């Protein structure tokens, strides 16, 4: 590790007069293989290949449906808009050399960890793909697949290809999130030297680039897979598969996305929070130095963690959420259209793709609505960044209502029930209101402008213990309102769907489940803008760290502190949004699972009786899985943080000159510790999530075979999934809200309230924040990914439970 000569010699110059250098933590820039290959191709050849690729895509789309062509067109235009945002952000200056050096160190650490982490994940994905292929070679096939000539080997290949494509796209989504954040952070820091509004705009547009790419990839990935299978299998031709059965072939895509998202969230969450806890406990509490102080050996690891945990992992997370919701809604739409004998079911199947295509358009408008001001003077009063972001969200919400209504009239109108589209439009409105309610509720419980966080800060004035008690009680209380909102939205959407006028051959209403699917689409109809707000948080956090480490004036730090505090709130609110959408999406996936079991078993499977002892045990195992998974995730952070604490303490003892700026800390050592430990610790909880449902379903299938209960394995897995979803939603709400409230209670005290920085109240708040770190950034986000992955893995593995 390089050392500044003045520091080694113990020069007496003031720190600010010294040239500030920071470590370069890699030998050469890292670029993923796929991008290296593309960069090595001649520009003209690449342009021709892109044109050919677009031509093939549009030909396949035109052979499928005009709706698919519309989706392709919107996605490609959105990618062009994302490139514009990227070029706009990268055109901004990076500031003085000391800022650039710090940013380079963060970028090096983040890209190095990403390479190692995703290398590990890709190996596990290949192994799992072989397992899926083997299972599908020996599984039973549905009557529809037999009649259309799709054998076991074809079905196995389709599922494995879909799984690997989903995993690949999820990984790219994560890389895009990390790539932009490690380049935007220094530009936000530099802009903060001029004005808060410019810094806000850069951070928002950087987050917008990532959000547009992630959502666009999720939509176009499903659309390409659907269109390819449609053309390849000759769907809707005589003797071939019906279009209503086609969405079942896409479940592997959702499982691949969930698989990568879970390990990305686990590994990134362990990394970021272990580094954060280690840096805070020794730096702030023991040594009394500020957050992100360059004397703290763990500070670079902490800043790297913001990118791999909050940006890369969240990109993969939202990609998985959208992919799973689209596929489950397509399955339910096709199933309902088949029961109702609708002549052209393509509108009901492709409706989710159109909704999210409009999401790209309206979110782009929302992002562009946040503009810089003409007066860029530092003397201009700092505006409330949260109010500015909320205005953009309000614009997006209004446009979402209009485009959603137009989409339902376009695609869901049918002569069998002329007014059904209006009911489904109202279902979408229920979903949009639910999303807004979740954002508002989470903001209320985590923003220090409101009473809950201020009460938590006040509890810190009487000690560490009362801070912890108040935080736990706040987190427990915060589960009530979201659960009520979810309950009302599910019942309302189901009722609106049931009364839409769509009935089966027996005259029984069949639109209820599809109504809840439409509500889920409504909730996620602003997903790109919500992800933009989420990405804003870690970029602002990194910018504050760069400003602190490069010893910028206090006025600059004030601006980044305001942005950082707002970023904590936006991260918390988007996690609340993600949990709400996970609850609705899991309900859809559960319904799709029951439909798939009925199709394979060739008998009705409409309810699960928990009065059956084995089924009740399955429910208990599902709830236990959530608690055990949470425990292992938090324990992983604790173990890794202990290693960081010991290393930071060792450096302060062995290098006493660090505190006087006479010696430079060994930042690379902490980065290496956290990287290796997080990769090691993510395996156990991840393996638990994958193996548990498969093992439980298979064991109870064998038990059912010997006791004369042929569907016992499927029923037990259904109960496991149901209880895990309920327990997981409550646990995730508690963990995310409590952790966010503890963090912002500390931020509130750091504004000068209740004694300010360095006071006993502040130290108690730091303890609460330290406890909340693994809650809100490791266990909480991982749980809502877990419950969706459980649902997708049961869809893929359903045949082995029968």
């Amino acid at each position: 590790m390089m050392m500044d000569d003045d520091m080694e010699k113990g020069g007496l110059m003031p720190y600010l007069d010294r040239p500030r250098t920071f470590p370069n933590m890699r030998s050469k820039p890292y670029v993923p293989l796929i991008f290296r290959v593309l960069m090595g191709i001649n520009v003209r050849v690449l342009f021709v290949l892109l044109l050919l690729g677009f031509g093939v895509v549009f030909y396949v789309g035109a052979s499928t449906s005009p709706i698919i062509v519309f989706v392709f067109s919107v996605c490609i235009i959105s990618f062009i808009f994302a490139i514009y945002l990227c070029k706009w952000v990268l055109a901004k200056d990076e500031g003085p050399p000391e800022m650039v050096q710090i940013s380079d160190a963060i970028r090096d650490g983040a890209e190095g960890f990403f390479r190692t982490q995703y290398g590990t994940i890709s190996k596990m994905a290949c192994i799992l793909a072989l397992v899926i292929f083997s299972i599908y070679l020996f599984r039973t096939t549905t009557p529809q697949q037999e009649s259309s000539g799709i054998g076991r080997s074809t079905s196995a290949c389709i599922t494995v290809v879909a799984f690997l494509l989903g995993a690949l796209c999820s990984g790219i989504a994560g890389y895009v999130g990390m790539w932009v954040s490690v380049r935007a952070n220094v530009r936000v820091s530099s802009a903060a030297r001029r004005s808060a509004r410019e810094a806000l705009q850069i951070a928002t547009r950087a987050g917008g680039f990532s959000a547009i790419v992630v959502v666009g990839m999720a939509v176009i990935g499903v659309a390409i897979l659907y269109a390819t299978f449609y053309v390849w299998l000759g769907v809707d031709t005589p003797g071939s598969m019906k279009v209503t059965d086609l969405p079942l072939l896409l479940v592997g895509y959702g499982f691949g996305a969930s698989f990568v998202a879970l390990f990305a969230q686990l590994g990134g969450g362990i990394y970021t929070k272990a580094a954060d806890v280690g840096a805070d406990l020794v730096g702030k509490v023991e040594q009394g130095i500020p957050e992100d102080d360059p004397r703290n050996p763990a500070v670079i690891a902490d800043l790297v963690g913001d990118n791999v945990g909050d940006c890369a992992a969240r990109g993969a997370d939202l990609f998985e959420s959208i992919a799973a919701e689209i596929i489950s809604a397509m399955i339910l739409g096709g199933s309902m259209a088949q029961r109702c004998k609708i002549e052209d079911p393509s509108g009901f199947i492709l409706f989710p793709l159109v909704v999210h295509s409009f999401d790209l358009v309206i979110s782009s408008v929302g992002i562009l609505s946040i503009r810089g001001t003409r007066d860029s003077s530092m003397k201009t009063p700092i505006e409330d960044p949260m109010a500015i972001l909320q205005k953009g969200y309000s614009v997006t919400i209004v446009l979402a209502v209009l485009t959603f209504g137009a989409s339902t009239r376009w695609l869901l109108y049918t002569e069998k029930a002329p007014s059904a589209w209006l009911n489904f439009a109202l279902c979408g409105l229920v979903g949009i209101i639910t999303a807004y309610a979740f954002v508002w509720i989470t903001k209320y419980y985590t923003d220090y402008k409101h009473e809950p966080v201020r009460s938590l800060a006040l509890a810190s004035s009487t000690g560490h213990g009362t801070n912890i008690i108040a935080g736990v009680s706040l987190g427990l209380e915060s589960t009530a309102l979201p659960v009520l909102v979810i309950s009302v939205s599910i019942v309302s959407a189901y009722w609106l769907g049931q009364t839409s006028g769509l009935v089966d051959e027996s005259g029984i209403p069949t639109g209820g489940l599809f109504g809840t699917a439409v509500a889920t689409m409504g909730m996620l109809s602003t997903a790109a803008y919500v992800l933009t707000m989420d990405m804003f948080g870690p970029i602002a956090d990194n910018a504050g760290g760069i400003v602190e480490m490069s010893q910028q004036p206090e006025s600059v730090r004030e601006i980044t502190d305001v942005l950082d505090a707002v970023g904590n709130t936006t991260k918390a609110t988007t996690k609340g949004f993600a949990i709400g959408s996970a609850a609705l999406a899991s309900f859809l996936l559960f319904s799709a699972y029951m439909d798939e079991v009925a199709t394979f078993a060739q008998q009705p499977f409409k309810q699960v009786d928990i009065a059956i002892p084995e089924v009740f045990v399955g429910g208990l195992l599902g709830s236990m899985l959530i608690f055990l998974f949470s425990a292992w995730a938090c324990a992983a952070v604790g173990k890794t943080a202990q290693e960081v604490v010991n290393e930071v303490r060792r450096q302060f003892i062995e290098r006493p000159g660090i505190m006087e700026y006479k010696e430079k800390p060994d930042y690379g050592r902490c980065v290496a510790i956290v990287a290796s430990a997080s990769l090691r610790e993510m395996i156990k909880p991840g393996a638990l999530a994958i193996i548990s449902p498969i093992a439980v379903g298979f064991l109870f299938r064998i038990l059912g075979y010997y006791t004369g209960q042929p569907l016992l394995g499927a029923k037990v897995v259904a109960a496991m999934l149901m209880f895990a979803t309920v327990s997981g939603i409550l646990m995730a709400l508690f963990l995310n809200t409590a952790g966010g409230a503890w963090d912002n209670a500390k931020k509130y005290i750091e504004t000068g309230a209740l004694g300010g920085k360095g006071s006993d109240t502040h130290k108690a708040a730091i303890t609460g924040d330290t406890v909340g770190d693994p809650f809100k950034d490791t266990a909480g986000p991982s749980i809502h990914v877990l419950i969706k992955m459980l649902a997708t893995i049961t869809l893929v593995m359903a045949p082995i439970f029968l």
Side-chain angles (χ1 to χ4, degrees):
M1 191 65 66
M2 294 171 57
M3 287 283 191
D4 188 327
D5 291 338
D6 286 340
M7 290 184 180
E8 288 181 336
K9 296 174 183 177
L12 300 176
M13 290 187 297
Y15 177 76
L16 288 174
D17 293 339
R18 274 197 203 91
R20 281 157 279 171
T21 59
F22 292 86
N24 187 350
M25 297 160 68
R26 66 180 174 188
S27 56
K28 60 181 180 179
Y30 166 68
V31 180
L33 177 62
I34 186 171
F35 294 112
R36 292 203 299 271
V37 171
L38 291 175
M39 290 166 63
I41 301 175
N42 181 274
V43 175
R44 292 181 180 178
V45 174
L46 184 61
F47 181 72
V48 172
L49 290 175
L50 285 174
L51 284 179
L52 287 174
F54 286 144
V56 171
V57 166
F58 275 98
Y59 172 77
V60 172
S63 303
T64 306
S65 168
I67 301 171
I68 292 290
V69 175
F70 170 80
V71 171
F72 285 162
S73 302
V74 173
C75 288
I76 290 171
I77 293 171
S78 298
F79 290 146
I80 294 172
F81 173 69
I83 292 171
Y84 159 75
L85 290 178
C86 181
K87 294 189 73 171
W88 186 91
V89 170
L90 295 181
K92 299 296 180 181
D93 71 285
E94 295 182 310
E98 59 267 24
M99 280 188 174
V100 177
Q101 289 167 355
I102 299 164
S103 176
D104 286 345
I106 296 169
R107 185 189 309 174
D108 297 340
E111 292 184 343
F113 176 73
F114 184 93
R115 179 175 66 250
T116 307
Q117 181 191 29
Y118 276 76
T120 303
I121 293 173
S122 62
K123 292 173 185 175
M124 293 189 293
C126 290
I127 294 171
L128 187 56
L130 290 175
V131 172
I132 294 171
F133 185 80
S134 302
I135 291 173
Y136 269 64
L137 280 180
F138 298 99
R139 71 167 213 170
T140 57
T141 55
T142 66
Q144 293 88 343
Q145 291 175 342
E146 290 175 359
S147 62
S148 59
I150 298 179
R152 293 178 180 178
S153 57
T154 304
S155 178
C157 290
I158 287 173
T159 305
V160 168
V161 167
F163 171 80
L164 292 176
L165 182 62
L168 175 65
C169 291
S170 183
I172 293 174
Y175 180 75
V176 166
M178 184 271 298
W179 186 90
V180 69
S181 67
V182 297
R183 287 161 176 80
N185 52 17
V186 69
R187 291 168 170 84
V188 175
S189 302
S190 179
R193 298 179 302 152
R194 297 184 290 273
S195 77
R197 189 66 179 259
E198 184 185 352
L200 170 67
Q201 188 183 20
I202 294 173
T204 304
R205 291 197 170 190
F209 162 76
S210 176
I212 295 296
V213 171
V214 168
V215 176
M217 281 187 57
V219 175
I220 202 170
V222 175
I224 289 175
L225 206 59
Y226 176 90
T228 302
F229 290 161
Y230 187 97
V231 173
W232 177 39
L233 299 174
V235 173
D236 270 351
T237 57
S240 65
M241 174 179 281
K242 293 181 180 179
V243 69
T244 51
D245 298 321
L246 182 56
L248 279 172
L249 300 179
L250 307 178
V251 294
Y253 185 86
F255 180 35
S258 300
F259 175 82
V260 171
L262 179 68
F263 281 98
Q265 190 67 71
L266 271 173
I270 294 168
Y271 187 113
T272 182
K273 289 303 108 180
D276 195 4
V277 168
D280 283 356
L281 285 179
V282 183
K284 286 184 182 179
V285 178
E286 295 181 6
Q287 299 295 330
I289 58 178
E291 185 172 5
D292 300 326
D293 192 288
R295 292 170 291 180
N296 194 326
V299 67
I300 291 290
D302 185 11
L303 295 172
V304 168
D306 291 334
N307 295 286
V308 299
D310 289 331
C311 291
R314 198 75 71 250
D317 178 4
L318 191 70
F319 176 91
E320 176 268 338
S321 293
I322 294 172
E325 178 264 328
I326 288 175
I327 293 168
S328 58
M330 291 174 77
I331 292 171
L332 293 177
S335 176
M336 186 194 69
Q338 188 174 28
R339 291 193 191 115
C340 298
K341 303 297 181 183
I342 294 173
E343 291 184 4
D344 183 11
S346 60
F348 288 85
I349 296 172
L350 299 177
F351 180 68
L353 295 173
V354 173
V355 169
H356 287 292
S357 297
F358 278 121
D359 172 21
L360 292 168
V361 176
I362 62 177
S363 296
S364 299
V365 175
I367 292 165
L368 290 176
S369 69
I370 298 173
R371 307 181 66 84
T373 54
R374 292 181 182 178
D375 183 7
S376 60
S377 171
M378 290 290 292
K379 297 179 181 179
T380 304
I382 298 176
E383 300 174 80
D384 181 7
M386 193 68 202
I388 298 170
L389 293 172
Q390 285 281 24
K391 286 179 184 176
Y393 186 51
S394 299
V395 169
T396 309
I397 285 282
V398 171
L399 292 174
V401 172
L402 296 176
T403 55
F404 204 95
S407 300
T408 52
R409 179 63 181 83
W410 173 27
L411 297 173
L412 302 185
Y413 178 82
T414 173
E415 293 293 340
K416 289 184 177 293
S419 63
W421 72 271
L422 183 58
N423 282 51
F424 290 128
L426 292 175
C427 290
L429 183 60
V430 168
I432 292 170
I433 293 172
T434 301
Y436 193 83
F438 258 83
V439 170
W440 185 88
I441 291 167
T442 313
K443 179 176 177 293
Y444 172 74
Y445 278 107
T446 56
D447 193 336
Y448 63 61
K449 294 177 183 176
H450 301 293
E451 183 61 26
V453 173
R454 295 198 174 201
S455 297
L456 178 56
L458 184 61
S460 305
S461 62
T462 53
H464 302 254
T466 49
N467 170 278
I468 300 300
I469 293 169
V472 170
S473 63
L474 184 151
L476 293 171
E477 179 189 317
S478 70
T479 62
L481 284 177
V483 167
L484 292 176
V485 170
I486 291 173
S487 303
V488 170
S489 64
I490 289 177
V491 173
S492 301
Y494 188 88
W495 180 82
L496 285 168
Q498 282 291 89
T499 57
S500 63
L502 289 170
V503 294
D504 61 14
E505 292 177 322
S506 305
I508 300 173
T510 59
L513 284 177
F514 189 68
T516 59
V518 174
T520 309
M521 291 178 237
M523 187 169 187
L524 285 168
S525 63
T526 56
Y529 189 86
V530 171
L531 181 60
T532 298
M533 291 198 297
D534 190 34
M535 292 290 184
F536 167 86
I539 292 172
D541 192 357
N542 256 212
I546 292 172
V547 166
E548 180 70 35
M549 287 195 71
S550 60
Q551 302 289 297
Q552 298 299 311
E554 187 63 27
S555 59
V556 181
R557 181 67 198 187
E558 287 176 5
I559 289 175
T560 55
D561 279 347
V562 171
L563 295 178
D564 186 16
V566 170
N568 282 333
T569 304
T570 59
K571 285 192 292 184
T573 54
T574 49
K575 286 170 189 170
F577 171 88
I579 294 168
S581 63
L584 294 177
S586 297
F587 180 72
L588 298 186
L589 290 165
F590 178 75
S591 303
Y593 166 74
M594 296 186 74
D595 277 352
E596 186 176 15
V597 169
T599 302
F600 278 105
Q602 301 181 42
Q603 59 180 288
F605 187 60
K606 297 182 178 179
Q607 57 189 10
V608 179
D609 186 0
I610 61 171
I612 299 173
E614 295 90 344
V615 176
F616 183 73
V617 168
L620 283 178
L621 292 173
S623 296
M624 177 212 71
L625 173 62
I626 297 298
F627 283 83
L628 185 58
F629 178 88
S630 303
W632 285 359
C634 290
V637 174
K639 290 177 184 176
T640 308
Q642 288 175 16
E643 296 183 43
V644 178
V645 167
N646 290 333
E647 172 61 24
V648 175
R649 284 174 176 167
R650 182 191 67 78
Q651 290 198 34
F652 277 127
I653 293 171
E654 295 180 4
R655 300 183 179 186
I658 288 176
M659 289 301 291
E660 286 77 36
Y661 299 101
K662 295 178 180 178
E663 291 184 87
K664 183 176 286 294
D666 185 353
Y667 301 111
R669 178 61 184 157
C670 287
V671 170
I673 288 173
V674 179
S676 61
S678 58
L679 291 173
R680 181 180 67 248
E681 296 293 340
M682 76 178 184
I683 302 297
K684 188 166 74 170
L688 174 71
I690 295 171
I691 295 172
S692 295
I694 299 175
V696 168
F698 187 71
L699 288 174
F700 278 94
R701 173 195 174 179
I702 296 173
L703 181 61
Y705 175 79
Y706 287 106
T707 57
Q709 302 176 74
L711 292 182
L712 184 62
K715 290 177 180 178
V716 170
V717 169
M720 183 181 189
L721 182 58
M722 188 190 309
F723 279 60
T725 299
V726 173
S727 302
I729 293 300
L730 293 171
M731 178 68 84
L733 284 169
F734 162 69
L735 294 174
N736 282 330
T737 310
W742 267 317
D743 194 351
N744 272 348
K746 179 198 69 176
K747 295 287 183 187
Y748 175 61
I749 293 169
E750 288 175 348
T751 63
L754 302 172
K757 293 182 180 179
S759 64
D760 289 339
T761 303
H762 185 226
K763 290 180 179 179
I766 292 171
T767 300
D769 180 35
T770 303
V771 172
D773 276 340
F775 283 19
K776 66 183 175 69
D777 287 322
T778 307
S782 298
I783 287 172
H784 76 253
V785 178
L786 167 67
I787 59 178
K788 287 177 289 185
M789 199 197 76
L790 289 174
T792 54
I793 198 172
T794 52
L795 269 175
V796 173
M797 301 295 183
I800 70 170
F801 306 147
L802 301 173

